[in-house]
Amino acid sequence: MSDPPKGLDVEAVRRDFPILSRVINDKPLVYLDSAATSQKPSRVIDALADFYRTSNANVHRGIYTLSEESTLAYETAREKTAAFINAASSAEIVFTRNTTESLNLIAYSWGRANLGAGDEVLVTAMEHHSNIVPWQIVCQERGAVLRFIPVTDEGFLDLSAIESLITERTKIVAFTHVSNVLGTINPVREIVERAHGAGAVAVVDGAQGAPHGAVDVRALDADFYVFSSHKMLGPTGVGVLYGKASLLNEMPPFLGGGEMIMEVREDGFTWKDPPWKFEAGTPNFADVVAFGAAIDYLSDLGMDNVRQHEMDITGYALQRLATLGDGVAVHGPPDAADRGGVVSFAVESVHPHDIAQTLDWEGVQIRAGHHCAQPLMRRLGTPATARASFYVYNTNEDVDRLVDALKKAGELFGRQRS
Ligand code: 7TS
């Protein structure tokens, strides 16, 4: 493989994304909601269409050419995914529908089998609901207790609290790599070590991590690491569950049905080895193949370049937002080096939904709401935030458009400060 280019040629990247030529409300589109879902380059769109045009057949069942081609394409995407996060083997990569399903799989399979009355599951106060609710369900069922690592005023995890929160009763520590609201990058390796020190398994929600920087699951020593294709230039409907082979081997299946069995008799069944043990029914192979194209695209850009670009643009956004004065307050760490490409903010006396709507008139697409993180919203003392999130195709000009649109919104709501 050739070395990735130094830095990101953003203009070249932008030409790869057909949607970026859209005009919204008579203004060129500025897409600032990649934390919700990313846009797709032609290479991914073409990979999906080409697969349906030339190679479509169900996987793992045919002794005929098309099915063999399809199976090979599907399993090759699994290998690409394993290499992308430096997993020891592609057998450690289970394809699901999304991050949410990956987390549910862990909770229902590993959690149900290993949690007992009085055991504890530790999550954090900055989790997305998909890394809270499955644990609430399983804890309730097993009589286990869910605890939360608090968040500091600056938007970091309060690691000093971990000492007293991790006990010999802690069986699972589940936490996000990067907050989808605050942008905070958590010290994964350190938290994993503390979990392991107490004999707990470490589950990392990488939905906002894997798309935005190089991830090495072996260096992190994560037991599970989960993420979604649709947030990293790939199609919707594909999630990844990385699990250490030793854990996947001992876990019971999650869903039962075709594909995941070795033999079915009237009195029972035996199952396949991982990863297929966890992939009941026809998998979403066409989208998985296109996800492989997304991984190729990101790998060609170079994940260190992706990270650097996002840090630069986030730094620029923090600096520009600061020029708007006291009326605009940014949530989360003050330094871009501690953040992914996510900036949540509040505009004094203007509801985030009104901000998002007035920005939409300027063609600027941001998300406003609770971002599926209501416990964090309560910690921040607000029901909602406005959030801009960046990816490989965003530019400083996009940030300027955001800031100009915010100024207009400020004028509209009579609160302009600068
Ligand atoms: N975990 C984190 C940290 C997330 O940001 C999200 C989605 C999920 C899990 C769930 O991913 P899914 O693919 O299963 O839906 N976050 C967002 C968001 O911030 N805005 O829309 C979706």
Side-chain angles (χ1 to χ4, degrees):
M1 258 220 285
S2 55
D3 288 340
K6 291 225 177 338
L8 217 57
D9 180 351
V10 186
E11 285 314 316
V13 168
R14 288 179 65 81
R15 286 194 290 277
D16 292 335
F17 288 78
I19 204 168
L20 296 181
S21 58
R22 279 265 335 247
V23 169
I24 305 271
N25 295 324
D26 298 326
K27 306 278 166 40
L29 163 67
V30 174
Y31 186 72
L32 297 179
D33 197 18
S34 294
T37 201
S38 71
Q39 299 301 345
K40 322 299 173 196
S42 298
R43 192 154 151 193
V44 169
I45 300 167
D46 293 347
L48 187 60
D50 287 350
F51 180 84
Y52 281 127
R53 285 209 180 90
T54 63
S55 308
N56 181 54
N58 209 333
V59 291
H60 298 146
R61 54 197 80 209
I63 320 285
Y64 57 93
T65 303
L66 267 190
S67 176
E68 281 169 4
E69 279 179 19
S70 172
T71 304
L72 181 65
Y74 179 61
E75 294 301 332
T76 300
R78 197 190 305 277
E79 275 160 28
K80 286 178 185 175
T81 309
F84 188 72
I85 57 168
N86 198 30
S89 152
S90 62
E92 295 178 319
I93 303 296
V94 177
F95 286 121
T96 61
R97 280 190 306 137
N98 46 38
T99 300
T100 303
E101 186 172 289
S102 297
L103 290 165
N104 275 273
L105 194 161
I106 302 166
Y108 279 91
S109 173
W110 198 93
R112 263 187 180 158
N114 291 283
L115 286 174
D119 283 341
E120 293 174 6
V121 175
L122 187 57
V123 296
T124 87
M126 64 167 75
E127 296 311 307
H128 187 280
H129 295 160
S130 67
N131 200 25
I132 298 176
V133 180
W135 303 115
Q136 288 176 324
I137 293 171
V138 173
C139 282
Q140 195 172 28
E141 185 184 301
R142 309 298 303 164
V145 180
L146 187 62
R147 297 200 185 285
F148 290 80
I149 300 171
V151 173
T152 66
D153 289 342
E154 273 209 329
F156 294 102
L157 287 179
D158 183 355
L159 294 182
S160 65
I162 290 193
E163 227 54 72
S164 58
L165 283 166
I166 297 190
T167 71
E168 72 281 3
R169 305 250 45 182
T170 311
K171 293 286 181 291
I172 296 164
V173 181
F175 61 99
T176 192
H177 187 165
V178 178
S179 163
N180 67 320
V181 176
L182 303 169
T184 319
I185 302 174
N186 289 319
V188 175
R189 170 80 205 193
E190 188 183 335
I191 301 171
V192 168
E193 269 172 18
R194 298 218 200 179
H196 288 169
V201 299
V203 177
V204 184
D205 175 350
Q208 304 291 349
H212 303 287
V215 170
D216 181 336
V217 287
R218 277 188 281 175
L220 295 174
D221 203 20
D223 297 301
F224 297 101
Y225 191 98
V226 299
F227 51 103
S228 295
S229 150
H230 72 93
K231 292 190 199 287
M232 49 192 291
L233 312 182
T236 45
V238 177
V240 176
L241 163 63
Y242 158 81
K244 281 184 184 162
S246 54
L247 290 163
L248 293 180
N249 281 329
E250 77 189 21
M251 283 158 60
F254 173 42
L255 300 172
E259 282 280 297
M260 50 76 74
I261 52 87
M262 286 287 276
E263 189 187 10
V264 181
R265 290 190 313 272
E266 285 81 349
D267 62 352
F269 70 100
T270 54
W271 55 72
K272 281 186 184 152
D273 288 337
W276 304 287
K277 167 170 128 184
F278 298 106
E279 294 182 359
T282 296
N284 186 3
F285 49 82
D287 288 309
V288 166
V289 171
F291 174 48
I295 290 179
D296 289 342
Y297 186 91
L298 283 171
S299 302
D300 287 352
L301 293 182
M303 291 310 290
D304 290 339
N305 292 330
V306 171
R307 168 71 190 132
Q308 185 62 50
H309 173 68
E310 283 182 33
M311 206 158 69
D312 292 346
I313 203 165
T314 303
Y316 182 67
L318 293 175
Q319 185 195 322
R320 288 295 328 264
L321 287 169
T323 64
L324 295 177
D326 293 345
V328 175
V330 172
H331 299 288
D335 191 340
D338 297 319
R339 288 175 169 263
V342 171
V343 179
S344 278
F345 53 92
V347 180
E348 197 184 356
S349 306
V350 188
H351 194 280
H353 289 171
D354 293 332
I355 298 291
Q357 189 154 23
T358 46
L359 264 53
D360 182 48
W361 297 335
E362 300 300 317
V364 179
Q365 315 286 289
I366 66 159
R367 183 169 176 197
H370 55 59
H371 313 291
C372 301
Q374 285 179 337
L376 179 60
M377 291 299 127
R378 267 190 287 280
R379 171 67 180 86
L380 297 175
T382 180
T385 75
R387 181 189 71 181
S389 54
F390 311 113
Y391 209 7
V392 289
Y393 33 70
N394 290 118
T395 60
N396 283 358
E397 289 72 55
D398 290 345
V399 173
D400 293 339
R401 290 269 309 276
L402 167 73
V403 170
D404 289 347
L406 278 172
K407 282 184 183 161
K408 280 198 183 171
E411 278 161 24
L412 185 75
F413 292 100
R415 307 215 61 84
Q416 200 195 3
R417 302 287 161 127
S418 64

